[in-house]
C-alpha cells in the first residue's frame, strides 16, 4: 500500500515493476515532470492509471464514509457495479439521482482529486496495492474546525466476470 501525505516528493519507487508498456511510459512521464506537491508527488496519477489498465468495469465492494453525517449516510454499503454502473446497494436495486449517494471506484478517484486540489491541512490516502484504487482516505481541511473532516474506506473488493 502507498500512503500519500501531501508532502513534496520527487523520487519514484525503485520496486516498481513494468507490467506493460503503459506503466513504463507513465513512470517516464512522472520522472520527467520533476518534483510536485500535487496529489502526493504523482501517486494519484500512477494509481489511477494502474486501476484503468486493469480494465475492470464490473465489481463489488464495501464502502464506508468518514463524516459528520447521519448514520444512514455513513454505511457500510455493499455496492455492486456492472459495466461501470451501480446496479445494487445492500442487495436492493439502485437508482442514480435518488436520496442515497454512493460512488463507483472511478468516482472515488474524482473525489480524491477534488479533495487534494483544495490543499487540505492534513490528508492520508492509501491505495490498494493490487488494483490501485483508493481504499482508505482521510482529509482534514482546516485544523481549527471540528467535524469538517471527511473520507472513506473501501473493503471486500471483488472483480466480477
Amino acid at each position: 500500500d502507498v500512503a500519500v501525505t501531501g508532502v513534496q516528493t520527487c523520487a519514484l519507487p525503485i520496486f516498481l515493476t513494468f507490467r506493460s508498456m503503459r506503466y513504463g511510459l507513465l513512470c517516464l512521464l512522472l520522472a520527467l515532470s520533476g518534483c510536485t506537491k500535487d496529489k502526493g508527488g504523482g501517486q494519484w496519477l500512477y494509481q489511477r492509471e494502474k486501476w484503468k489498465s486493469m480494465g475492470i468495469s464490473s465489481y463489488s465492494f464495501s464502502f464506508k464514509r468518514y463524516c459528520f453525517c447521519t448514520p444512514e449516510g455513513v454505511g457500510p454499503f455493499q455496492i455492486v457495479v456492472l459495466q461501470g454502473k451501480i446496479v445494487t446497494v445492500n442487495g436492493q436495486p439502485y437508482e442514480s439521482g435518488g436520496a442515497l449517494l454512493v460512488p463507483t471506484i472511478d468516482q472515488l478517484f474524482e473525489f480524491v482529486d477534488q479533495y487534494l486540489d483544495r490543499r487540505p491541512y492534513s490528508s492520508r490516502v492509501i491505495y490498494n496495492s493490487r488494483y490501485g484504487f483508493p481504499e482508505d482516505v482521510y482529509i482534514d481541511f482546516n485544523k481549527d474546525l471540528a467535524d469538517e473532516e471527511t473520507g472513506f474506506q473501501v473493503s471486500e473488493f471483488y472483480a466480477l466476470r
Side-chain angles (χ1 to χ4, degrees), residues 52-142:
K52 286 172 67 176
S53 74
M54 299 283 178
I56 300 170
S57 62
S58 297
Y59 51 89
S60 66
F61 66 102
S62 180
F63 174 78
K64 184 175 181 178
R65 283 186 182 89
Y66 303 137
C67 62
F68 187 70
C69 41
T70 64
E72 297 82 24
V74 173
F77 302 102
Q78 300 301 322
I79 301 170
V80 176
V81 176
L82 297 177
Q83 301 302 313
K85 305 274 188 220
I86 298 173
V87 293
T88 66
V89 175
N90 295 337
Q92 300 298 312
Y94 179 73
E95 295 180 32
S96 63
L100 181 62
L101 298 176
V102 293
T104 64
I105 296 293
D106 287 329
Q107 289 170 328
L108 293 179
F109 275 103
E110 292 171 23
F111 294 154
V112 170
D113 184 34
Q114 292 169 5
Y115 292 159
L116 296 179
D117 277 348
R118 291 176 55 189
R119 302 201 183 278
Y121 166 71
S122 174
S123 65
R124 179 190 74 236
V125 179
I126 299 173
Y127 295 95
N128 181 274
S129 60
R130 181 171 181 188
Y131 296 106
F133 60 80
E135 68 182 357
D136 192 15
V137 175
Y138 176 80
I139 307 285
D140 185 357
F141 293 105
N142 187 323

Side-chain angles (χ1 to χ4, degrees), residues 25-40:
L25 179 60
L26 175 64
C27 289
L28 177 62
L29 290 173
L30 289 174
L32 294 175
S33 69
C35 299
T36 70
K37 192 171 183 178
D38 191 35
K39 295 175 189 61

